[in-house]
């Protein structure tokens, strides 16, 4: 449940928010290509060519990238095999309800993991948060730490999931105590993994500069990246523009994004005037 997005005092689920946004964008005349994936992007003169699976090419004067992030995987093969059968990346409302009265474990020390644990605590009989580090204070908001305690979520620090299994679905995990280097089996009905994210940028061409984690550089970050290489940029991109002219980035996929709905939506609003500036430049018109 997203509880900190302006205008929804009781919170709103991600799926419902997306559905509402879809309807609103439709009213404004947006055209959608549902269940299609962008797999390529290349410049062609003043135009940009976006390749959409299974091979259609769209020619356009500007592109806004809002591809977000995907969850980092836990490197435990026996748990990967149970993905979807008790092992989940992220935490959806559906899976949480299915765990009513049962036992859940959440892996991760960030706000996403904390929110997932809180959400699960509304349904599950017992929720344990497994954190690899020695403290939550560095990585999680103070209010969430307090809410976890109030909701009865057990927090295990210095803990790493190193194994687990189950015949048809997950029924146990192996948790390593990183201080004493001992392993213990814990019975569980659901393991929710929220250990960070990888930006969805691997399909983009090298002209679109990224940081070492793959997040897209925009605005001043690009000048800095060139300067680090001892080079000087030939043009100054707009604040949300990438190193490829006319290609913009907003939301979680952008370096320095704060990973919040409000900021992703806000950047989506701000970027439009920058797109217009780019289109005016192409047309030789003065900026508005
Ligand atoms: C468990 C959890 C709880 C959260 N709780 C909160 C909260 O309470 N409050 C809050 O403010 N934020 C919360 N967040 C963060 C929030 O969800 C994100 O900040 C926000 O969704 C970012 O929006 P976005 O548009 O950048 O990316 P996303 O919402 O991730 O959207 C990206 C979309 O692009 C699609 N895509 C990716 N690559 C391609 C491609 N090549 N072609 C076509 N489509 C593609 C993806 O499938 C996805 O649909 C939470 C996140 C998680 C994981």
């Amino acid at each position: 449940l997203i509880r900190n997005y302006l205008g929804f005092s009781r919170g709103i689920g991600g799926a419902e928010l997306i559905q509402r946004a879809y309807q609103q964008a439709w009213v404004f005349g947006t055209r959608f290509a549902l269940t299609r994936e962008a797999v390529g992007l290349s410049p062609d003169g003043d135009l940009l060519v976006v390749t959409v699976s299974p091979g259609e090419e769209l020619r356009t004067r500007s592109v806004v990238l809002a591809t977000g992030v995907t969850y980092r995987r836990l490197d435990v093969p026996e748990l990967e095999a149970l993905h979807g059968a008790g092992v989940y990346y992220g935490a959806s409302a559906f899976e949480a309800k299915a765990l009513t009265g049962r036992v859940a474990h959440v892996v991760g020390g960030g706000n996403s993991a904390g929110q997932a644990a809180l959400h699960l605590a509304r349904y599950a009989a017992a929720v344990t948060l497994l954190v690899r580090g020695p403290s939550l204070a560095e990585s999680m908001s103070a209010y969430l730490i307090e809410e976890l305690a109030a909701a009865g979520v057990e927090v295990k620090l210095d803990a790493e999931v190193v194994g687990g299994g189950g015949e048809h679905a997950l029924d146990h995990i192996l948790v390593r105590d990183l201080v004493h280097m001992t392993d213990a089996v814990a019975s569980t009905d659901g393991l929710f993994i929220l250990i960070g994210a990888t930006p969805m940028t691997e399909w983009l061409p090298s002209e679109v500069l990224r940081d070492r984690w793959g997040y897209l550089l925009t605005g001043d970050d690009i000048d800095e990246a060139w300067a680090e290489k001892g080079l000087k940029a030939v043009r100054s991109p707009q604040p949300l523009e990438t190193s490829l002219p006319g290609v913009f980035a907003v939301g979680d996929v952008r370096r320095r994004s704060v990973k919040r709905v409000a900021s992703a939506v806000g950047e989506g609003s701000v970027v439009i005037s920058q797109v217009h500036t780019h289109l005016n430049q192409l047309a030789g018109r003065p900026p508005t």
Side-chain angles (χ1 to χ4, degrees):
L1 197 70
I2 297 159
R3 288 177 41 199
N4 55 356
Y5 186 42
L6 185 73
F8 297 93
S9 53
R10 289 163 188 261
I12 182 166
E16 189 187 345
L17 185 62
I18 287 168
Q19 183 60 21
R20 287 181 181 217
Y22 167 74
Q23 288 166 350
Q24 195 171 4
W26 187 83
V27 169
F28 276 92
T30 307
R31 287 189 294 152
F32 296 87
L34 299 173
T35 69
R36 307 288 295 277
E37 188 181 0
V39 292
L41 172 68
S42 56
D44 180 12
D46 281 347
L47 291 180
L48 296 156
V49 182
V50 182
T51 309
V52 180
S53 63
E56 191 182 344
E57 287 192 343
L58 306 174
R59 303 178 93 74
T60 178
R61 287 174 293 164
S62 185
V63 171
V64 177
L65 298 166
T67 49
V69 296
T70 185
Y71 297 108
R72 208 163 281 152
R73 320 292 286 190
L74 206 62
D75 195 15
V76 180
E78 57 266 44
L79 290 176
E80 283 298 316
L82 291 171
H83 185 200
V87 177
Y88 307 99
Y89 286 89
S92 81
F94 178 76
E95 285 135 10
K97 279 184 193 151
L99 281 174
T100 300
R102 304 176 81 190
V103 177
H105 286 76
V106 179
V107 185
N111 280 352
S112 297
Q115 282 167 354
L118 264 186
H119 182 59
L120 284 160
R122 293 169 57 197
Y123 302 96
V127 179
T128 305
L129 183 66
L130 301 167
V131 184
R132 217 157 54 152
S135 154
L136 270 184
E138 295 273 295
S139 54
M140 193 180 286
S141 303
Y143 85 92
L144 260 182
I145 297 174
E146 283 168 20
E147 286 190 15
L148 286 174
V153 172
E154 184 187 0
V155 178
K156 276 198 176 153
L157 302 172
D158 298 304
E160 185 178 17
V161 177
V162 293
E167 201 168 334
H168 302 295
L170 181 77
D171 60 22
H172 71 276
I173 53 173
L174 197 60
V175 182
R176 180 162 298 163
D177 176 331
L178 293 171
V179 174
H180 303 101
M181 291 312 276
T182 51
D183 294 349
V185 173
S187 297
T188 193
D189 301 300
L191 181 69
F192 296 84
I193 301 158
L194 296 103
I195 52 172
T198 306
M200 305 280 274
T201 55
E202 68 293 336
W203 60 281
L204 291 167
S206 57
E207 291 100 312
V208 181
L209 291 183
R210 283 151 262 200
D211 67 12
R212 65 189 160 114
W213 294 281
Y215 286 95
L216 300 179
L217 303 188
T218 50
D220 290 346
D221 280 350
I222 295 168
D223 291 337
E224 278 174 34
W226 286 123
E228 276 168 25
K229 291 179 180 167
L231 300 168
K232 191 162 166 26
V234 289
R235 59 182 270 278
S236 272
Q238 299 186 70
L240 295 173
E241 196 173 17
T242 70
S243 50
L244 188 57
V247 177
F248 299 81
V250 297
D252 286 7
V253 76
R254 204 173 64 81
R255 185 188 186 195
R256 299 183 200 276
S257 64
V258 294
K259 311 283 183 296
R260 290 286 177 278
V261 172
S263 62
V265 170
E267 287 177 11
S269 159
V270 169
V271 77
I272 296 308
S273 69
Q274 298 177 24
V275 169
H276 283 298
T277 299
H278 174 73
L279 297 180
N280 284 337
Q281 280 168 357
L282 285 184
R285 288 191 293 263
T288 49

